[in-house]
Amino acid sequence: MKAGVLPLLLLCCGPALGQVLERGNGPEPSTLDAHRCPEVACANVLRDLYEGLVAEDGGGRRVPGMAERWEVSADGRTWTFHLRPGLRWSNGEPLDAGQVVASFRRAFAPATAAPFAGHFEAIENAGAVQRGELPPTRLGIAAPDAQTVVFTLVRSADLPRLLTLPTAFPVYLPALAEHGAQHTRPGRLVSNGAYRLAGWLPQAMITLERNPEFREPAPIPRVRFHVTEDASSELKRFEAGGLHLTETVPPQPLPALRARFGDQLRISPYLGSFWLGYNLDQPPFKDAPALREALSLAIDRDILTRHVTGLGEVPAYGLVPPGVAGYTPASLGWGRATQAQREALARRRYAEAGYGPDKPLEVELRYNTSTPHRRLALAVAAMWREVLGARVRLRNEEWKVFVGNRRQRVITQVFRGGWIADVDDPRNFLDNFRGDSNANWTGYDDPAFTALLDAADAAPTLEARAARLREAEAHLLRAHAILPVYFYTSKHLVRPEVGGFEANPLDRHPTRFLTLAPRE
């Protein structure tokens, strides 16, 4: 046996049976800096390491976090949060309101480039601070005393809902000052949640242990978040007893999966949409709406969801998924047509864009490495070749490389996109297409679209707000800036000894609300 293999085996499969929760977590988290977390993989870990002013329980219900209570003014513009007594960091130091405010200022500083800071633009001066137009001290968050945090808003907003996001978690600034970007490493990361960081083996796992300074000991002493980028391999690890909980389930016929796993298979509605994005800054898709529409028309979403994904996903002809509270999503008009009608229109749009048998489109479809994404990319490429005669190159990349290339919009053409809701709000999906959004991977920048979002902010009622947001979604769809494919379901395998696992629309399952019985 090679040197170092035995310790690794002990780390993965040690004798503390029933004491360590083994969780599949998808790709390697890109960061454990709470303010810079852009994806689900890091957010899953951060919700164990940190706690915001407001938290969520195992069923996704909002519960008090650092704040034991809060109130809002009659006009909805001032929110006051009262901290629990005795809050402490994982190193034992006191945590007070002044540190919470300082952490928010760091989150909104331009240098931080927090990907989800745009969701907080209702906070006074938040956008101006993030753009560098005002100093962080002008952010509308203050600490009148050590136990109170006050937010001043420029419009009404459901602030407690936003405060469950990692952007709102407190970061221990002394560690950041001393270690810079390395403050997230084991032995340096100081957090305030139910767990603290015990180890990080890159491309393998992140290990957390109970935070002895947290007010309530977590039922499970340790948890390991395993990198499970390949869903098929994750399934095999679950079957072999190496995982208690998977991040996903690979595409397989649903009846066979149910027969094989019974109640261990958990599938439920999920506020997420999968789409393909176009790089609108570069040819061939810049200023080419007919070509973009042709590619969208050419794919058979029914075949993709029945035979490629196959786990309850719903064909998508819009961006915002069904089930968002108080909102009726917009949809592409030809979504009600037959597939044959869509394909005939696809060929017309393709010809209008200047392509055909004598001039086929040559296009690259980029996705992050994973079995489900590879299967879907192969199917989409085959549809584009069959319906339009396009020549398609597939390129897969490790997650961090893929994310960087997608964000830079230089070498991408068509890429795997998608969005999992951070909060139950249609704007959470639409905001990503503002020209200045850090999550605007397409480069879409339309003043009319932005004006509709602004009108939604100024709407006098929730109904009027929803109507403006629906207009904004319809405007985005007419531009064919993205190619909607399907709406997600959450899908996990959960061993019988795991208790407290509740389905919820945002698919969040903090470890401190789970229990783990010894295996029989």
Side-chain angles (χ1 to χ4, degrees), residues 306-331:
R306 283 203 310 269
H307 302 296
V308 179
T309 59
L311 290 174
E313 296 86 356
V314 178
Y317 298 95
L319 170 65
V320 181
V324 173
Y327 184 72
T328 302
S331 180

Side-chain angles (χ1 to χ4, degrees), residues 297-299 339 343-344 346-347 382-390:
L297 285 157
I299 69 167
Q339 185 58 30
E343 290 177 6
R347 286 185 280 268
M383 292 171 181
W384 286 345
R385 285 193 295 267
E386 181 179 344
V387 176
L388 302 174

Side-chain angles (χ1 to χ4, degrees), residues 362-390:
E362 297 189 6
V363 63
E364 184 173 85
L365 173 55
R366 187 178 302 262
Y367 61 96
N368 58 293
T369 303
S370 96
T371 301
H373 296 329
R374 180 177 181 274
R375 283 168 54 93
L376 188 132
L378 285 167
V380 168
M383 292 171 181
W384 286 345
R385 285 193 295 267
E386 181 179 344
V387 176
L388 302 174

Side-chain angles (χ1 to χ4, degrees), residues 87-332:
L87 291 175
R88 293 189 177 276
W89 295 100
S90 58
N91 64 1
E93 293 183 15
L95 194 170
D96 62 20
Q99 294 174 75
V100 173
V101 171
S103 183
F104 268 102
R105 290 174 178 172
R106 184 261 176 173
F108 284 87
T112 302
F116 299 146
H119 299 324
F120 293 83
E121 285 208 338
I123 297 174
E124 185 178 55
N125 295 329
V129 169
Q130 194 180 29
R131 293 189 296 270
E133 299 166 3
L134 290 174
T137 53
R138 295 288 301 279
L139 188 66
I141 309 175
D145 58 58
Q147 293 299 115
T148 309
V149 180
V150 178
F151 292 78
T152 302
L153 308 188
V154 295
R155 57 178 171 82
S156 61
D158 189 351
L159 186 61
R161 179 168 57 182
L162 295 173
L163 293 177
T164 64
L165 299 179
T167 305
F169 295 165
V171 168
Y172 184 70
L173 298 181
L176 183 66
E178 182 176 358
H179 302 296
Q182 297 302 308
H183 80 280
T184 60
R185 307 310 299 175
R188 295 176 178 175
L189 191 146
V190 178
S191 58
N192 75 318
Y195 291 87
R196 63 185 181 185
L197 182 63
W200 189 347
L201 189 60
Q203 293 300 325
M205 73 186 74
I206 292 173
T207 304
L208 310 185
E209 62 187 8
R210 275 187 190 136
N211 175 8
E213 303 295 338
F214 194 68
R215 62 185 176 274
E216 300 169 350
I220 301 174
R222 291 169 70 86
V223 54
R224 286 193 280 254
F225 288 87
H226 294 263
V227 174
T228 53
E229 199 155 17
D230 182 82
S232 296
S233 298
E234 183 183 39
L235 176 63
K236 292 176 183 176
R237 291 174 71 174
F238 180 85
E239 288 187 292
L243 295 174
H244 294 101
L245 169 62
T246 67
E247 173 60 15
T248 190
V249 178
Q252 292 188 20
L254 184 55
L257 280 172
R258 290 204 184 281
R260 189 170 166 190
F261 294 106
D263 292 342
Q264 295 181 90
L265 179 64
R266 310 288 184 90
I267 297 178
S268 58
Y270 190 20
L271 295 185
S273 59
F274 183 98
W275 42 266
L276 300 177
Y278 303 109
N279 184 342
L280 303 182
D281 285 349
Q282 306 285 342
F285 298 109
K286 182 179 181 180
D287 301 323
L291 177 60
R292 303 194 296 263
E293 185 178 13
L295 294 184
S296 185
L297 285 157
I299 69 167
D300 189 330
R301 293 158 175 83
D302 291 314
I303 286 178
L304 293 177
T305 53
R306 283 203 310 269
H307 302 296
V308 179
T309 59
L311 290 174
E313 296 86 356
V314 178
Y317 298 95
L319 170 65
V320 181
V324 173
Y327 184 72
T328 302
S331 180
L332 292 163

